[in-house]
Amino acid sequence: MLSRIATFTAALLLLAVASASHAATPPDTLVIGYNRAANNLLPGQNPGLPNIWANMLIYDCLVIHDGEGKIHPGLAERWELAKDGVTWTFHLRKDVTFHSGRKFTAKDVKAHFDMWKTLPTASKIAALDRTEIVDDYTVRFVLKYPTLVFLNMISQTEWSYCGIPDSEQVAKYGKDYGVVPESVSGTGPFKLVRWIREDRLEFERNPAYTWGPAFYKNRGPAHIQKVVIRSIADAAARTAALERGEIDMDISLSEFDAKRLSAMKGLSVIVKPKNTTHNLGFNHDKPLWKDVRVRQALMYAIDQKPIVEAVFAGYAQPAIGLFAPSVEGSAPDDAVRAVFPGYNPEKAKALLDEAGWKPGPDGIRVKDGQRLAFNVFVYSEPQANTLTVIQEQWRAIGAEATIRQMEYAAWIEATKKGEHDIRYVDGTHSTADIAYWYTCAARPHPNNIFWCDPTTEKLYEITQKTTDPAARVKAFQDLELDLIKRAVLIPMPHTAWVVGVWDSVKDLELHPIHGYYKLLDARKAR
């Protein structure tokens, strides 16, 4: 069952470098390794984490949360909500410039929010009716209805979709903005200077940046002169690059290397909690998944404990719900267990029997001449290793899964087209509002499971429109329980940030959602 994982682990050990010495990266440059690559740097266009991380460095938002969840001013100095509960007025900083050198004004805010309403992540600002310019440094948002979530939704913590690009650059490049490297212009602490597809993003410090959030010791310019984010999909290759000193840190370190690397002189392994929402999602447009009993059977057949040990070396926790337990709006464990008690292969077999799927001559079930066979699309090595375990568990109940691993950009395009039967997503989130992924308006991306259901729509609408905090929490909990009960998605283990970093890197912040924000305090020892 674990042959693929054993090969994966052995490859890592063979690549281990015995000597603790390493060829250091340049002293003015921070090189970060990650297992995925960015594909679009227009804020709000794509919810992929590689894009979000880059956009944290390139752009600023009106407001931003600190690591404790408190909102701070960003590009806005202050704001107020009118008594009508729907009119927000933001007073902008007057000392901000874009990387292009042009002054940042209310015109740029309006242009971005108007455009954001047309992008795939527009559900985040569904409450917004219109954006009005009061003067060059004052902007007014008028909502359709009072809501508790507007300020959260436009915080940079919420995936940096609110990052405000240079509107003149956006107008100049049109659909190519965020794809053509020279188009990209924000107000953030780092400027994009080079982009080699599927390989690396290179940034230089913005020397004019002095408007960093107040929770940083250094509000700018950044101490680091250059940042390079290298995309290295193979875990063994990333580990080798870290050990050779070709990268300063691996933000997606292989858990199987963590213990060994932590013993190396000059190298540290940082383990931090992560607010994850990992899951397997059925493509609900496919006839195979119309019977809830088939979906439930596949959910009951999965034992997460061997996944935690074999794939994540114990650096994970089995998940019973879809949301991270620490996130407000997640359902209590006992409530989730009431609708999904957990691993039960006998229950899984009984459900398939009931649904008319009978064992075939090779053990794979058959109904009306169709085998219970399907594909699963993944985009990372840990996902593929996880599915290797699950593949055997599903086979034990008579289901045959074919794993298809691809680059992240290709995975996005394929799932948008609905080429998958099941897809694996591993994501982080700050609020339960990530449930917008499963609303009708979010199809085909990020709602690449093509779920469109009146109960989900009604409950999510409550979370966005109520002004009663308790009602908002209950609606999220009811939504989560309903998705689990009907096996719309299958929860996967909650993972942690496991980061390998050379000790020469100092004052590196790690956030439970994004890993890092703006790197304003980070520096390298001489």
Side-chain angles (χ1 to χ4, degrees):
M1 177 174 71
L2 304 181
S3 59
R4 178 172 179 166
I5 298 169
T7 302
F8 157 81
T9 306
L12 291 179
L13 294 174
L14 286 172
L15 282 167
V17 179
S19 171
S21 63
H22 67 290
T25 58
D28 64 348
T29 304
L30 178 65
V31 184
I32 302 170
Y34 187 50
N35 62 9
R36 283 188 264 159
N39 66 345
N40 192 300
L41 300 180
L42 170 62
Q45 179 63 46
N46 189 293
L49 194 53
N51 304 317
I52 291 162
W53 277 356
N55 288 345
M56 285 283 182
L57 304 179
I58 297 169
Y59 303 103
D60 294 310
C61 292
L62 296 175
V63 298
I64 185 172
H65 287 82
D66 62 20
E68 304 302 318
K70 180 182 177 182
I71 289 182
H72 292 260
L75 293 176
E77 292 182 320
R78 68 185 192 281
W79 54 90
E80 57 260 357
L81 174 63
K83 291 182 180 180
D84 62 11
V86 298
T87 305
W88 289 82
T89 303
F90 286 79
H91 304 275
L92 310 180
R93 296 183 65 109
K94 299 178 181 179
D95 59 346
V96 177
T97 55
F98 287 103
H99 299 154
S100 64
R102 192 176 66 80
K103 291 276 288 184
F104 159 76
T105 69
K107 179 185 76 170
D108 301 292
V109 178
K110 176 174 170 55
H112 180 60
F113 277 82
D114 287 350
M115 177 176 59
W116 188 2
K117 292 178 71 173
T118 71
L119 299 179
T121 60
S123 296
K124 301 295 284 184
I125 53 169
L128 179 61
D129 180 45
R130 63 187 184 275
T131 305
E132 301 173 345
I133 296 173
V134 178
D135 58 42
D136 282 351
Y137 295 99
T138 311
V139 65
R140 180 186 297 125
F141 297 107
V142 181
L143 309 188
K144 301 172 186 175
Y145 45 79
T147 177
L148 297 171
V149 302
F150 182 67
L151 204 58
N152 279 335
M153 294 301 194
I154 65 167
S155 165
Q156 190 151 27
T157 316
E158 282 298 299
W159 314 113
S160 203
Y161 303 154
C162 56
I164 298 174
D166 185 331
S167 61
E168 292 189 2
Q169 287 289 96
V170 174
K172 177 180 177 180
Y173 285 90
K175 292 183 178 180
D176 288 334
Y177 184 90
V179 178
V180 175
E182 55 267 30
S183 70
V184 176
S185 175
T187 65
F190 290 91
K191 304 177 181 181
L192 179 67
V193 294
R194 192 181 186 206
W195 186 356
I196 303 175
R197 302 287 173 172
E198 302 297 333
D199 182 73
R200 69 186 62 204
L201 291 163
E202 297 182 5
F203 306 88
E204 289 183 354
R205 181 177 71 167
N206 177 6
Y209 192 84
T210 57
W211 46 87
F215 54 84
Y216 281 101
K217 295 176 183 177
N218 170 41
R219 301 187 67 179
H223 299 307
I224 298 290
Q225 296 281 340
K226 299 177 182 178
V227 174
V228 178
I229 303 176
R230 287 188 55 191
S231 173
I232 309 173
D234 183 72
R238 278 197 320 281
T239 295
L242 181 65
E243 291 182 295
R244 290 195 298 263
E246 296 171 3
I247 59 177
D248 295 299
M249 58 183 290
D250 180 356
I251 197 80
S252 50
L253 182 68
S254 165
E255 290 86 353
F256 283 93
D257 265 6
K259 185 175 181 179
R260 178 174 63 82
L261 293 181
S262 65
M264 288 183 62
K265 183 179 179 181
L267 189 65
S268 297
V269 173
I270 304 170
V271 180
K272 293 281 188 179
K274 183 192 291 190
N275 293 345
T276 64
T277 174
H278 303 337
N279 61 75
L280 290 168
F282 298 96
N283 180 346
H284 290 273
D285 277 352
K286 297 293 181 77
L288 180 60
W289 310 126
K290 298 302 182 184
D291 191 332
V292 65
R293 295 170 296 185
V294 179
R295 305 195 305 264
Q296 289 172 332
L298 295 191
M299 185 163 71
Y300 276 109
I302 296 175
D303 183 1
Q304 294 187 41
K305 291 180 181 178
I307 297 171
V308 167
E309 294 304 321
V311 179
F312 299 107
Y315 291 96
Q317 294 291 329
I320 61 171
L322 293 173
F323 301 141
S326 59
V327 170
E328 185 180 52
S330 62
D333 285 357
D334 57 352
V336 178
R337 290 193 177 95
V339 298
F340 173 56
Y343 175 56
N344 189 336
E346 295 309 312
K347 174 72 170 177
K349 293 175 184 178
L351 284 166
L352 291 176
D353 286 340
E354 181 183 320
W357 290 90
K358 305 303 180 184
D362 61 353
I364 302 303
R365 291 176 180 261
V366 179
K367 180 181 180 181
D368 299 331
Q370 179 185 0
R371 287 164 55 84
L372 186 52
F374 46 86
N375 64 49
V376 186
F377 283 18
V378 303
Y379 52 76
S380 73
E381 197 167 347
Q383 289 181 348
N385 291 330
T386 297
L387 260 298
T388 300
V389 179
I390 294 173
Q391 188 178 47
E392 296 302 317
Q393 295 176 346
W394 280 341
R395 177 170 284 276
I397 66 164
E400 183 177 62
T402 300
I403 304 166
R404 184 175 174 189
Q405 183 176 351
M406 57 190 72
E407 294 293 336
Y408 184 59
W411 179 93
I412 289 175
E413 291 307 310
T415 55
K416 284 168 68 175
K417 295 175 183 176
E419 296 174 3
H420 60 298
D421 296 318
I422 297 175
R423 63 92 181 108
Y424 194 148
V425 158
D426 49 9
T428 58
H429 63 137
S430 56
T431 71
D433 296 288
I434 198 169
Y436 89 90
W437 279 30
Y438 314 119
T439 61
C440 301
R443 295 175 301 172
H445 190 74
N447 184 359
N448 49 22
I449 65 170
F450 301 98
W451 178 252
C452 184
D453 177 80
T455 299
T456 302
E457 296 296 302
K458 179 181 178 181
L459 290 171
Y460 186 74
E461 183 178 19
I462 292 171
T463 70
Q464 302 305 293
K465 292 186 176 181
T466 184
T467 55
D468 179 355
R472 171 174 155 84
V473 168
K474 184 179 186 303
F476 271 131
Q477 292 176 342
D478 289 346
L479 189 156
E480 180 181 24
L481 293 172
D482 182 64
L483 294 178
I484 293 292
K485 182 179 181 179
R486 293 194 279 168
V488 175
L489 308 108
I490 303 176
M492 287 287 99
H494 294 298
T495 55
W497 289 111
V498 182
V499 178
V501 57
W502 284 101
D503 292 346
S504 55
V505 180
K506 306 294 184 182
D507 296 328
L508 176 72
E509 83 275 7
L510 282 177
H511 191 275
I513 304 162
H514 297 297
Y516 62 78
Y517 272 176
K518 296 184 175 295
L519 299 174
L520 285 172
D521 289 333
R523 55 191 175 85
K524 289 182 71 173
R526 298 286 181 176

